[in-house]
Amino acid sequence: MAAIYKKNNKFGLMSDDGHPLTNADFDQLEPFEMEGSGYHLGYVSTHPYLIRSDDGVIFDIFRFDEECTLKEAMERVLNWIMPGLQLFYRDTDMPLDFEKMYRVGEVLRAGFFIDVSPYAGKPMHKYRYIIASAHAASLAEDDDRYPLHVLHANSYLKVLDIYEKEDVTQIFLIHIPAKSIFMPILDNLWDININGDRIVDIARKSLDDKLRKPIRENLEEPQWLERTEAHIGFDNDGERMSLFPILLYKGGTAPDSIVDMGKAIRKIGDDTDPINLILEEPQETGTLET
């Protein structure tokens, strides 16, 4: 069984006999989720790597295939983000350490299935999330009072804007594919234009307009507020969700019922492009030499 060693305040993996399997390059290093999984999880800053425990082979599962040029990668990313892009909403009064939790430009992983509504009225709560996504699965039925849309638990969301007005703080997130989260070129997503208007300006105008609209009473019902009270990307203790995905395949780390729900959300949300599927099947992708 491999062991973790420390050198110059960095961490590496070594075999039982003390032979280094990796260099001490990682800021964090830990067994992957369950003892006996056969892998370790290492972080360089916030970038996670999967490390095979028996031989130290490192997998950068967030990397595009080597044969994919930067131009081709960007085209794939934008073709995933843009067509069908729509705004969704959820409100909450759940306390949070705002300065600690959200910073413009950072990427979060949802960590749970996110319930959202495609409409909203005058905000009655301290925080409003507005999410731009082309891959929210519609679970709405004819008699649905909300109607319910859901983003996958492994959704990656980039913080594009924090906007405060009339005691309401609006957090604007855009849904991006997993393979893009470490691409610096996506730092300019806030400048996307839709019909001549910047997407950030559209989001801010949404709050400006809705502050003058009537309340959506059905979105103030206890059942809906309970479904939308959690802050996206953080657990109940205010700790940031790991960027490493939940293993959503049969025999992985999630219950089969969650696996089935995840697959259904992917299918309904037209979200089956490999650009956004990270370890949802037990396969190795993208080896990085150590």
Side-chain angles (χ1 to χ4, degrees):
M1 183 176 178
I4 297 170
Y5 72 94
K6 185 176 183 181
K7 182 179 179 181
N8 297 328
N9 291 319
K10 299 282 187 176
F11 300 92
L13 200 63
M14 66 181 181
S15 62
D16 286 339
D17 61 7
H19 176 70
L21 298 173
T22 73
N23 294 327
D25 292 331
F26 298 98
D27 297 302
Q28 290 179 256
L29 186 59
E30 58 192 29
F32 176 50
E33 293 193 334
M34 295 189 305
E35 185 177 354
S37 68
Y39 288 89
H40 278 68
L41 182 60
Y43 284 88
V44 177
S45 185
T46 61
H47 194 131
Y49 296 87
L50 193 62
I51 308 165
R52 197 158 55 200
S53 303
D54 58 356
D55 58 9
V57 173
I58 301 171
F59 301 94
D60 183 355
I61 61 173
F62 291 93
R63 187 180 65 180
F64 273 86
D65 298 333
E66 291 183 358
E67 63 269 18
C68 183
T69 67
L70 179 59
K71 181 180 178 182
E72 291 169 339
M74 280 304 303
E75 287 176 351
R76 287 185 60 192
V77 170
L78 291 176
N79 285 336
W80 189 93
I81 292 174
M82 293 300 295
L85 196 68
Q86 186 177 349
L87 296 179
F88 298 92
Y89 305 86
R90 56 187 277 148
D91 295 345
T92 183
D93 280 320
M94 182 73 72
L96 80 163
D97 184 344
F98 192 81
E99 291 184 358
K100 172 185 174 183
M101 291 178 68
Y102 290 102
R103 294 180 292 273
V104 172
E106 72 178 345
V107 173
L108 305 167
R109 184 178 63 83
F112 51 86
F113 294 102
I114 303 175
D115 293 343
V116 292
S117 171
Y119 59 74
K122 181 177 180 178
M124 300 301 295
H125 304 273
K126 188 172 182 179
Y127 302 105
R128 165 158 291 179
Y129 288 94
I130 181 168
I131 303 172
S133 175
H135 299 282
S138 174
L139 303 186
E141 300 179 356
D142 291 341
D143 59 348
D144 194 344
R145 293 175 57 76
Y146 305 126
L148 176 63
H149 286 63
V150 180
L151 274 69
H152 196 278
N154 281 336
S155 292
Y156 290 90
L157 302 150
K158 191 176 183 72
V159 183
L160 288 193
D161 188 47
I162 307 294
Y163 181 46
E164 298 182 53
K165 188 169 184 178
E166 297 183 21
D167 298 322
V168 176
T169 298
Q170 178 172 274
I171 304 161
F172 181 30
L173 310 173
I174 188 168
H175 193 185
I176 62 174
K179 291 285 188 180
S180 74
I181 67 175
F182 295 107
M183 296 176 69
I185 198 167
L186 290 191
D187 290 345
N188 293 324
L189 277 180
W190 59 270
D191 206 25
I192 286 176
N193 272 264
I194 299 177
N195 297 325
D197 294 318
R198 290 193 319 156
I199 191 169
V200 165
D201 294 333
I202 292 171
R204 289 191 172 199
K205 187 174 185 298
S206 169
L207 181 59
D208 293 344
D209 291 345
K210 287 177 173 55
L211 283 166
R212 299 190 294 270
K213 298 286 187 182
I215 298 168
R216 289 271 190 174
E217 293 185 2
N218 54 332
L219 297 179
E220 297 301 318
E221 295 174 358
Q223 181 182 9
W224 179 251
L225 294 177
E226 182 178 352
R227 300 184 73 143
T228 60
E229 68 178 0
H231 288 294
I232 296 171
F234 295 86
D235 63 21
N236 291 334
D237 296 321
E239 296 299 322
R240 193 177 307 274
M241 296 287 189
S242 168
L243 290 177
F244 209 83
I246 303 168
L247 295 190
L248 290 182
Y249 57 82
K250 299 290 185 180
T253 59
D256 286 352
S257 59
I258 299 298
V259 174
D260 292 339
M261 180 177 179
K263 288 183 176 180
I265 295 299
R266 293 283 194 209
K267 183 176 181 181
I268 296 169
D270 190 22
D271 184 17
T272 57
D273 189 322
I275 193 175
N276 195 41
L277 301 181
I278 301 292
L279 290 183
E280 294 203 10
E281 295 296 337
Q283 57 188 358
E284 298 171 351
T285 57
T287 303
L288 181 69
E289 296 296 332
T290 61

